[in-house]
Amino acid sequence: MGCTESKGKLFKDRLDQVQACLVNQTWRIRGDVKELERQVDELRDIHVFFSSNKDTAELARIQRLADVVTEELLSLLDRKTLRAGPEAAQGITKIAAKLDTFRATRASDIVLQKQKGMSLTLGKEELRIVESLLSGETSSEKLLEACNSVMRHLQQAKVYAAQVPELVSTMLNSLKALGERILEHFLASLESRPRDANGLVALAENLDTLSEHFAKLAGLSPGEKVAPLLKKVREDSSLALGAARMTELQASLANETSLAQDAMKLLNDIAALWTSPDAAQKTSLAGAFDSVGLKIQRSFEQAIASGDTGGMTSLLVTAKDFDERRQEVDGAGTNLISRDMERKKAGVTLNMLIVNAEANVEKQSVELRKLFREAEAKVSRLDKDKLDEPGEGANWKFKLGSGVFKAFPSDKNAEVEKLYQTWLRNGKPTDTAGRRFELRIEVRGAASRRSTRKKCPYGDKCYRKNPEHRREFWHPSDNMENASGLLPEEPLVAVEVREESYSLDFLLMTQVNMTRGGMRNINREEGMTVSQKLTHEYFDKVIEFVKEAEGTLTQAEIELHMLGANERANMQKQVDALTQAMTPTLREFLQLAVLLRDAKVMDEVIALLGVHAERLRLTDALKEVRLEDVIRELTQAYSKPSLRASPKRWDLLRLLCKRQKAGPRNLLKCRLALVKTKAELSVLMRRRVQMRCQSLLNEYEADKEFCEKFRRQAGQVLKEALLEEAKRLEPEAAKGLLKSAVAWQCDLDMLLETAGSLLESLARSAAASIQPASRIVEVLDFADGMAKAAQRPLESFCDLRPVLPDMAKKCFDSAIKPCVEDDAFSSRMPSVVKQVHEVRSRLRSEATSAGFDAELWKLFEPWYSRLRTEGKSDAQTAASEWAIAYCEQIKMPVPTWMMDRDQVEALRKLTAAVSGGNEKDLREAVVFAKLTDYKSDPALTQKYDEALTRLRALKRLPSGWEVTDLVGDDATKKMFKKADLDDPALKKLFQEIFDATKASIITRDRAARGSGVMPRGYQVEKIVSVMNAESWGAYLQRTDEISAQCARFAGSAPVSASVWSSWSGPVMTASQGNAILSAAHLPSLTESANEFLMFHGTKPEAADSIAANHFDMAFACKTGLFGAGLYFAESSSKSDEYCQGDARGRFPMILCRVALGRINYCPNVDPVKDPGRDKLEGSCIGGEYHSVLGDRKKARGTYREFVVYDHYQVYPQFIVWYSRVS
């Protein structure tokens, strides 16, 4: 359902767009009916969708829009469309046929009906014009012209008659009348204008074709053809008429005063009449041609002698007509008299042309030189940056019906521009409301006379302009005739003044007259700039001068081609002299145009001159002028800027500050701002001239000589500028100079030779001065930038090796020594290392870098040795740290005579860790020192031992544990190690404790585990000491807490002998515990916490896990008699019940230190019920006890069990591997 609604909305939006298009009539704006056709196609698709949905409201809306389209088609089907041809009308009928597919009533029937009616009307109008033309009087001289006019209207009427059969009969009558008119006047036309005979015969053949076509349409038989009759008349009359013309010609030739043109006319008539002459006629014609040719030539010579240029031109036309006619009669091999006459005329014309042109050029050159000086003076008084600023506002024009654009009135022009700028500020909106603006203009009508007559339907084509017709009808041309008094006076209409409203659309650039209707295009032209306003008068005069000169030179070129070789050479010299006279004026023009960079006017002048620009050498002159202008601007851009303003300006600035009550501080601020602005303007000027130079080279790239000249001059300017920039140490400016030199392919050696010696002196000065080492960096940066810009190695033009000792000493004395001897060495060291490295890194070549290092170590080594001798360990360490950091930066090994980086870093870490006392830092420092050769340096060895001592104290590690072994090689891992105890005496003590605590009591647990047979004894095989720093620290902390808590309960720790006696005796391991711990160099047991050594049996893998990860309460036995705790025994036999052996038959038993604390004694037979597991656990976990002693010896006669519920009360001290003795 949602998809259908979304699709329906989409089609409604499409229908809205079609409606908007139909309302706005966009196809009229674009002049494209296909746009209307596309909208109809869109309507058809939308109609299909809404028909399937049966949306009656939208279907009715579509029908209304279809009616709108039908009305639009009827309006488009006007006279203009029908007269344009059948294709235009077919386009409209095609759209109507598409409307028929969804419109309720057939649109095509309505359109065809109107088309037929208009075709009938237009056809009748054309036939009435034909009737009017045929009814008028026709002279024999204008017969062909009149008949052709009638035939054109008949051809147009033929188009309409094809659709309207009612016109066929009228067409036949008109064709018949035309044929009769031709037959009636043909003989007279043949007598007066024989040359029209062929045209009339061709027209008659076309007439016969039309008559046959329409007779066939009407079902009638065609009448007699006109063309054969005309041919018969011409054959019968041409012989006699030709003979009569020949007689007239001979008489004309015999008369010396007769004109050659008249003779030629008679000769043309004879040739037209005798189309197929016999032998006698050919002979007569040949003689006539010879005589007429001689007459034309004699007349031409007379015109030359008298200077009659009009006569020469007329006779030359006659000669060409003569040559053309003679070729038709005699053939192509006939000699042409017009060529010789053209050569003679060319010489005379060219001579007169040059004389007049020389006088004109001289006169105009004086006038143009005066205008040039005035314009140049005006331009020179202005700042160049202001020349391209707008000098006047934009000009708005609207298009007239004739296609010509007319300017708006000045006040309205400003108003339109204001509206346009508002549209721009609003972001050029495209919606109708945002892009359209209203403009009101006052329109004044012209005074006219009221006409009481009707307009003639035939307009100026009407041939019935007699007084009776004009009293009833008027024609467009009657206004001019009325001025001559041909028409009666009519009442004068007063001048009408009205205000009209216009809608301006700045997106489509159109204006619509909202008062009278109609739309016109509008156009915006940018106004002149400041420079154009100053020079437009001069430039316009130059363009006029060039146009006239180009016409003269073009005419001279044409005339030169007519001359012979000798005459041409002589005349060419005069033409060349004329062009040379024009050159100074054009060169002045180019100077001003180049100064203003007005490429448009230069291109216009060169385009007007065309090929003559080369002969005037205007291109070469333009290149020279542009080169001079560019080099002048380049010199100005790189001239040393003056940072001091003129005294007058400073006086004005001081006066301003005084009036504003501003002190010297504000005056200084103003001055600094002015200096900064001046520098920025200088940079912009240089960028601009660099672009101009590159553009000039690109434009004239093919002219090698010009480019070489430019490079020589530009290179000299850049050399001088480079010296100035080097003195001021301006790297960006110098790099820009060299980049420009490389881009322009100037001679770099000339620039770099001077720059190299200057760089050496700058480097030596920087190293020897009291300035910091950063000054050397600036100089080297400057040198490196120059090398990169020049695309050359620095060594190729600047040798810095002699300066290296001074550079090294500067760095050592001013940076390294003060830094090492400073108390804030750590904070200063990175910056000093960076400072020295920056100096070295600027020495790009390996040779200079190595030389700098060698000089630096020469100074460093004796100083370092002296620090060691004097016992200044801190300074020595700082020096080492600095040297190591520096060597890391340059990726070189540290000298062998000082600590390496790892040793220095180890010493630093150890010192910081010992001072800080942080366990993590101590471990990391010890591990790092172990990885270095710390024993080679006494200070480092001493600090290493101090760190171990501090770590032992921090972790409260026993003296028998080796801290180095515990830390290992990874500071992130646990401090854990298992060590085998191989001392025989210690092994004997462990054997004694196993033997002393052994019993022969078999419990239920031993039977349940499959070990029902009691071993006779246990043989200790291996003793492993467990060193786990984390577990040990947690155990000691818990033991201290228990001791403190037991102190609050008198007699709880240590337990008295009497109490132990009542609890089935003392702990069995108590007598041997301290002896074992003492032999293993471990702390003795803490009596205040009731600490004892006790047994815990387990599996081999569990023993290793407990040693590494301590006891885990998650594995405590939940079903134990005394709850979920850790169970320990005083008897080796009891713990043996829970041990499992390995593949070799050895069993692990953990001998643990257990802090029992305040003991909850439980002798009950069934502690699960009385007092219960939960109460026993709660007495220790949340109560006042720390452990439970389950006296199963008293209750069952087996073994006592010791239970704790906190795994930090236990430390697995030893893992004892033993074997059972069966």
Side-chain angles (χ1 to χ4, degrees):
M1 182 67 181
C3 181
T4 305
E5 291 177 357
S6 176
K7 196 171 183 182
K9 184 178 183 305
L10 176 63
F11 275 89
K12 286 182 180 179
D13 292 341
R14 290 173 61 181
L15 187 59
D16 291 339
Q17 294 176 4
V18 173
Q19 183 173 351
C21 181
L22 293 176
V23 171
N24 295 330
Q25 297 183 342
T26 56
W27 59 88
R28 289 186 179 271
I29 298 173
R30 300 174 184 174
D32 185 10
V33 183
K34 290 184 178 179
E35 174 66 22
L36 181 59
E37 185 177 357
R38 283 191 289 270
Q39 299 305 323
V40 171
D41 292 336
E42 185 76 358
L43 270 179
R44 182 171 57 187
D45 294 342
I46 298 170
H47 182 269
V48 171
F49 174 78
F50 287 120
S51 296
S52 62
N53 293 342
K54 297 182 180 179
D55 191 334
T56 56
E58 296 301 331
L59 288 174
R61 183 181 172 194
I62 293 173
Q63 290 299 320
R64 290 194 298 272
L65 293 178
D67 295 340
V68 172
V69 175
T70 304
E71 293 296 329
E72 181 62 23
L73 292 177
L74 293 175
S75 66
L76 291 174
L77 194 64
D78 54 8
R79 293 171 176 267
K80 183 178 179 181
T81 303
L82 291 176
R83 285 174 176 163
E87 293 80 8
Q90 287 173 2
I92 295 174
T93 55
K94 180 181 177 183
I95 298 174
K98 289 184 177 182
L99 279 174
D100 291 343
T101 59
F102 61 90
R103 189 172 183 267
T105 57
R106 289 177 58 82
S108 58
D109 293 342
I110 301 172
V111 171
L112 289 174
Q113 182 179 0
K114 181 176 180 182
Q115 182 182 0
K116 185 175 180 181
M118 290 192 66
S119 297
L120 178 62
T121 302
L122 293 174
K124 288 182 177 180
E125 289 180 2
E126 294 294 338
L127 290 176
R128 279 198 295 271
I129 294 173
V130 170
E131 180 184 358
S132 176
L133 293 174
L134 291 175
S135 63
E137 297 293 334
T138 305
S139 64
S140 57
E141 288 81 3
K142 295 185 178 181
L143 177 62
L144 179 60
E145 180 184 350
C147 292
N148 280 331
S149 177
V150 172
M151 182 56 72
R152 283 194 299 271
H153 289 286
L154 286 173
Q155 291 285 2
Q156 187 64 39
K158 175 188 174 183
V159 176
Y160 306 133
Q163 300 176 2
V164 185
E166 293 90 332
L167 297 175
V168 173
S169 60
T170 310
M171 279 289 296
L172 285 172
N173 294 333
S174 299
L175 290 170
K176 182 178 179 182
L178 179 60
E180 292 174 354
R181 173 63 64 86
I182 294 172
L183 286 173
E184 178 183 356
H185 297 281
F186 181 71
L187 183 58
S189 176
L190 190 62
E191 291 178 357
S192 59
R193 288 182 63 86
R195 283 175 289 178
D196 292 349
N198 291 333
L200 288 169
V201 171
L203 188 145
E205 291 174 348
N206 191 12
L207 180 66
D208 293 338
T209 302
L210 284 176
S211 299
E212 186 176 356
H213 170 73
F214 282 106
K216 185 177 180 180
L217 289 177
L220 302 174
S221 59
E224 187 177 5
K225 293 185 177 181
V226 179
L229 297 176
L230 296 182
K231 293 178 182 178
K232 181 68 170 62
V233 171
R234 185 173 61 180
E235 291 175 2
D236 295 341
S237 307
S238 61
L239 183 61
L241 292 174
R245 288 291 196 280
M246 182 60 74
T247 303
E248 292 181 23
L249 176 59
Q250 291 173 354
S252 177
L253 292 174
N255 187 0
E256 293 294 336
T257 61
S258 63
L259 299 176
Q261 291 87 337
D262 295 339
M264 187 61 216
K265 181 179 178 183
L266 291 171
L267 186 59
N268 280 332
D269 291 345
I270 296 169
L273 291 169
W274 288 352
T275 55
S276 300
D278 54 19
Q281 291 173 340
K282 286 182 179 181
T283 302
S284 179
L285 267 177
F289 271 109
D290 293 339
S291 301
V292 172
L294 290 174
K295 188 172 184 63
I296 293 173
Q297 290 174 323
R298 285 197 301 270
S299 299
F300 188 76
E301 293 293 342
Q302 293 173 2
I304 290 176
S306 62
D308 184 5
T309 55
M312 285 188 285
T313 304
S314 176
L315 287 168
L316 185 58
V317 172
T318 303
K320 289 180 178 179
D321 188 16
F322 173 83
D323 289 338
E324 181 182 352
R325 188 64 62 191
R326 189 160 195 177
Q327 282 183 324
E328 292 177 2
V329 175
D330 294 346
T334 307
N335 293 327
L336 302 179
I337 66 171
S338 58
R339 291 182 180 176
D340 183 58
M341 293 170 62
E342 283 179 342
R343 283 193 294 271
K344 294 178 180 179
K345 180 179 180 295
V348 175
T349 304
L350 185 57
N351 190 37
M352 296 174 60
L353 187 67
I354 291 174
V355 171
N356 294 332
E358 287 176 345
N360 191 34
V361 166
E362 183 179 358
K363 178 182 177 183
Q364 292 194 32
S365 295
V366 173
E367 181 182 352
L368 289 173
R369 187 168 294 108
K370 180 181 177 182
L371 292 174
F372 165 74
R373 290 172 180 169
E374 292 176 356
E376 187 180 37
K378 292 177 183 177
V379 170
S380 63
R381 286 194 292 268
L382 287 178
D383 187 357
K384 279 190 175 182
D385 294 333
K386 295 183 178 180
L387 293 176
D388 294 331
E389 293 180 356
E392 60 182 23
N395 297 319
W396 285 89
K397 298 181 180 180
F398 59 91
K399 191 175 184 180
L400 300 175
S402 61
V404 178
F405 279 91
K406 182 179 179 181
F408 279 90
S410 58
D411 56 335
K412 295 301 177 182
N413 184 82
E415 186 176 350
V416 173
E417 177 64 17
K418 184 177 180 181
L419 296 175
Y420 178 75
Q421 294 300 329
T422 302
W423 180 66
L424 292 180
R425 283 194 301 272
N426 293 340
K428 297 183 179 181
T430 57
D431 59 291
T432 305
R435 74 187 196 220
R436 292 182 178 175
F437 296 86
E438 183 180 1
L439 179 71
R440 306 189 70 84
I441 300 178
E442 188 177 84
V443 179
R444 299 174 63 87
S448 61
R449 297 191 180 276
R450 190 184 308 277
S451 177
T452 57
R453 297 170 292 160
K454 299 178 183 177
K455 181 179 178 181
C456 179
Y458 306 106
D460 285 333
K461 296 180 180 179
C462 177
Y463 281 83
R464 298 178 60 190
K465 294 182 181 179
N466 50 60
E468 292 78 10
H469 177 77
R470 291 190 177 190
R471 287 192 181 92
E472 185 177 358
F473 300 97
W474 64 271
H475 310 83
S477 60
D478 285 351
N479 290 335
M480 294 182 293
E481 296 177 2
N482 188 40
S484 303
L486 300 178
L487 296 178
E489 290 292 331
E490 295 178 348
L492 189 64
V493 179
V495 176
E496 178 185 2
V497 179
R498 63 183 182 277
E499 188 178 59
E500 296 184 349
S501 175
Y502 292 85
S503 175
L504 304 179
D505 191 324
F506 291 122
L507 180 65
L508 301 178
M509 294 301 281
T510 58
Q511 72 168 14
V512 177
N513 191 320
M514 308 302 291
T515 304
R516 294 182 288 112
M519 182 178 63
R520 290 173 174 173
N521 292 338
I522 57 176
N523 184 28
R524 182 179 184 270
E525 296 178 354
E526 291 290 348
M528 289 190 294
T529 62
V530 173
S531 61
Q532 289 172 341
K533 285 192 70 175
L534 295 177
T535 58
H536 75 91
E537 181 182 0
Y538 170 66
F539 284 163
D540 290 344
K541 289 287 185 180
V542 170
I543 290 172
E544 292 178 8
F545 172 73
V546 168
K547 286 180 180 179
E548 187 174 345
E550 192 276 335
T552 300
L553 293 175
T554 301
Q555 184 63 33
E557 188 71 24
I558 295 171
E559 302 298 340
L560 278 172
H561 283 293
M562 301 292 183
L563 300 178
N566 294 331
E567 291 178 298
R568 187 182 305 165
N570 295 330
M571 285 296 181
Q572 185 65 56
K573 293 179 181 179
Q574 297 184 38
V575 173
D576 293 341
L578 177 63
T579 57
Q580 291 300 321
M582 297 166 56
T583 303
T585 301
L586 294 177
R587 187 175 180 85
E588 289 176 347
F589 157 74
L590 290 176
Q591 287 177 0
L592 188 58
V594 168
L595 177 64
L596 300 176
R597 299 181 185 87
D598 196 339
K600 181 179 178 182
V601 71
M602 286 190 287
D603 292 341
E604 184 177 0
V605 168
I606 293 175
L608 286 173
L609 288 170
V611 295
H612 304 298
E614 290 296 329
R615 292 182 181 169
L616 285 164
R617 299 185 62 84
L618 199 61
T619 306
D620 294 339
L622 176 60
K623 286 193 289 188
E624 291 298 326
V625 170
R626 293 182 68 181
L627 177 60
E628 292 172 3
D629 183 67
V630 165
I631 295 298
R632 181 173 59 254
E633 186 173 352
L634 185 66
T635 305
Q636 293 173 355
Y638 284 102
S639 61
K640 185 176 180 180
S642 175
L643 299 181
R644 298 183 62 189
S646 63
K648 183 177 179 181
R649 292 184 178 180
W650 282 117
D651 291 341
L652 292 174
L653 185 58
R654 290 189 185 96
L655 180 61
L656 176 63
C657 291
K658 185 176 180 181
R659 288 188 176 179
Q660 296 295 328
K661 296 183 180 179
R665 186 176 180 182
N666 290 326
L667 182 65
L668 183 60
K669 285 183 179 180
C670 292
R671 182 167 185 175
L672 291 175
L674 290 173
V675 170
K676 181 180 177 181
T677 304
K678 196 166 186 177
E680 291 174 351
L681 291 175
S682 178
V683 171
L684 292 176
M685 185 185 300
R686 292 178 181 183
R687 288 179 183 172
R688 182 173 61 188
V689 73
Q690 285 172 358
M691 289 189 290
R692 284 196 66 198
C693 290
Q694 189 61 55
S695 176
L696 188 67
L697 274 177
N698 293 340
E699 185 174 352
Y700 297 112
E701 184 180 5
D703 192 341
K704 303 300 181 184
E705 182 180 352
F706 173 81
C707 292
E708 189 60 31
K709 185 177 180 181
F710 166 81
R711 291 179 181 122
R712 283 197 306 271
Q713 297 184 19
Q716 190 62 37
V717 175
L718 294 179
K719 175 185 175 182
E720 296 174 1
L722 184 62
L723 290 175
E724 293 296 330
E725 301 300 343
K727 291 176 183 177
R728 292 196 297 268
L729 279 183
E730 293 289 344
E732 295 301 324
K735 284 192 289 185
L737 284 168
L738 287 173
K739 284 181 180 179
S740 298
V742 172
W744 304 340
Q745 300 178 13
C746 296
D747 184 9
L748 282 177
D749 295 334
M750 178 179 65
L751 278 74
L752 296 179
E753 181 180 356
T754 306
S757 59
L758 181 63
L759 287 174
E760 292 176 21
S761 63
L762 287 173
R764 191 175 299 276
S765 173
S769 65
I770 60 173
Q771 296 179 2
S774 58
R775 178 64 175 178
I776 302 176
V777 176
E778 292 178 5
V779 173
L780 294 178
D781 276 339
F782 179 74
D784 185 57
M786 292 179 68
K788 287 181 179 179
Q791 300 178 6
R792 300 272 187 90
L794 181 60
E795 295 74 22
S796 65
F797 63 91
C798 180
D799 186 9
L800 294 175
R801 286 176 295 180
V803 195
L804 293 179
D806 295 337
M807 289 184 179
K809 191 173 188 310
K810 180 72 177 180
C811 293
F812 185 76
D813 291 341
S814 65
I816 300 174
K817 284 181 66 177
C819 171
V820 170
E821 295 170 356
D822 192 353
D823 293 336
F825 165 75
S826 299
S827 59
R828 286 189 58 189
M829 185 191 71
S831 62
V832 174
V833 170
K834 181 180 179 182
Q835 187 176 1
V836 179
H837 178 258
E838 283 179 349
V839 174
R840 185 190 185 275
S841 63
R842 268 54 175 190
L843 304 171
R844 301 297 181 184
S845 70
E846 294 182 4
T848 53
S849 299
F852 177 81
D853 293 337
E855 296 295 334
L856 187 63
W857 297 132
K858 282 180 185 178
L859 299 168
F860 203 98
E861 183 177 3
W863 174 64
Y864 183 80
S865 300
R866 188 168 63 254
L867 291 176
R868 178 183 292 177
T869 304
E870 294 174 356
K872 297 180 178 179
S873 59
D874 292 340
Q876 181 187 357
T877 303
S880 298
E881 287 189 14
W882 187 94
I884 291 167
Y886 174 71
C887 290
E888 275 194 350
Q889 286 287 331
I890 64 176
K891 295 180 173 58
M892 295 290 287
V894 179
T896 56
W897 38 266
M898 66 168 55
M899 285 192 295
D900 62 17
R901 175 173 179 77
D902 291 338
Q903 290 174 324
V904 172
E905 182 64 15
L907 182 60
R908 187 191 65 77
K909 285 179 176 286
L910 288 170
T911 303
V914 169
S915 301
N918 182 271
E919 177 195 348
K920 180 182 177 183
D921 294 341
L922 285 167
R923 290 175 63 183
E924 289 178 351
V926 168
V927 170
F928 188 84
K930 287 172 68 177
L931 298 176
T932 65
D933 186 12
Y934 69 92
K935 294 181 181 180
S936 63
D937 191 88
L940 183 58
T941 304
Q942 179 184 355
K943 192 61 70 175
Y944 179 80
D945 294 338
E946 288 181 13
L948 292 180
T949 303
R950 184 66 185 271
L951 187 59
R952 182 186 294 278
L954 184 67
K955 301 292 288 186
R956 300 170 66 183
L957 300 178
S959 60
W961 290 6
E962 288 293 336
V963 181
T964 302
D965 295 338
L966 281 175
V967 173
D969 296 332
D970 189 350
T972 60
K973 292 184 178 179
K974 290 181 178 181
M975 292 177 65
F976 168 76
K977 186 180 179 182
K978 294 188 298 183
D980 294 342
L981 302 179
D982 299 330
D983 185 3
L986 185 61
K987 188 174 182 181
K988 181 181 178 182
L989 290 174
F990 273 92
Q991 185 65 51
E992 289 176 357
I993 198 171
F994 265 75
D995 293 341
T997 59
K998 178 177 71 67
S1000 300
I1001 304 171
I1002 300 175
T1003 65
R1004 182 175 56 185
D1005 289 345
R1006 181 178 291 277
R1009 293 176 181 274
S1011 303
V1013 179
M1014 172 65 72
R1016 287 192 304 111
Y1018 309 101
Q1019 180 65 43
V1020 176
E1021 302 288 347
K1022 180 182 178 183
I1023 304 167
V1024 178
S1025 178
V1026 177
M1027 293 178 283
N1028 191 327
E1030 283 73 17
S1031 296
W1032 176 255
Y1035 174 73
L1036 289 181
Q1037 182 180 356
R1038 182 59 179 151
T1039 301
D1040 293 342
E1041 292 173 358
I1042 290 173
S1043 296
Q1045 292 169 4
C1046 288
R1048 299 199 308 268
F1049 298 94
S1052 62
V1055 178
S1056 64
S1058 60
V1059 174
W1060 280 120
S1061 177
S1062 64
W1063 289 356
S1064 301
V1067 177
M1068 297 173 67
T1069 61
S1071 58
Q1072 291 99 344
N1074 281 328
I1076 291 173
L1077 293 174
S1078 176
H1081 304 289
L1082 295 172
S1084 60
L1085 298 172
T1086 305
E1087 290 185 353
S1088 61
N1090 286 327
E1091 185 183 15
F1092 297 93
L1093 285 180
M1094 292 191 174
F1095 297 101
H1096 183 81
T1098 184
K1099 299 182 288 186
E1101 59 272 17
D1104 291 336
S1105 176
I1106 291 171
N1109 302 312
H1110 204 64
F1111 286 94
D1112 190 350
M1113 293 301 296
F1115 294 98
C1117 181
K1118 307 293 189 299
T1119 60
L1121 287 174
F1122 306 100
L1126 300 175
Y1127 289 75
F1128 299 92
E1130 61 184 340
S1131 172
S1132 58
S1133 299
K1134 173 61 177 175
S1135 294
D1136 177 60
E1137 295 177 359
Y1138 304 99
C1139 291
Q1140 296 181 14
D1142 60 7
R1144 294 189 294 174
R1146 298 191 307 177
F1147 298 86
M1149 188 179 293
I1150 303 176
L1151 190 58
C1152 303
R1153 299 173 76 116
V1154 182
L1156 295 176
R1158 189 180 183 207
I1159 302 171
N1160 185 3
Y1161 178 70
C1162 180
N1164 299 345
V1165 175
D1166 189 1
V1168 174
K1169 295 181 180 179
D1170 182 21
R1173 294 189 183 102
D1174 292 341
K1175 287 187 177 181
L1176 290 173
E1177 290 176 10
S1179 69
C1180 295
I1181 295 174
E1184 297 177 344
Y1185 296 94
H1186 301 103
S1187 63
V1188 172
L1189 194 162
D1191 194 352
R1192 305 305 293 166
K1193 184 176 181 180
K1194 181 181 287 189
R1196 294 291 186 182
T1198 55
Y1199 304 97
R1200 288 188 298 184
E1201 298 183 26
F1202 297 86
V1203 186
V1204 297
Y1205 303 94
D1206 183 357
H1207 63 287
Y1208 288 123
Q1209 287 177 235
V1210 183
Y1211 179 76
Q1213 189 73 72
F1214 305 103
I1215 300 175
V1216 182
W1217 290 89
Y1218 67 94
S1219 58
R1220 291 172 179 172
V1221 180
S1222 59

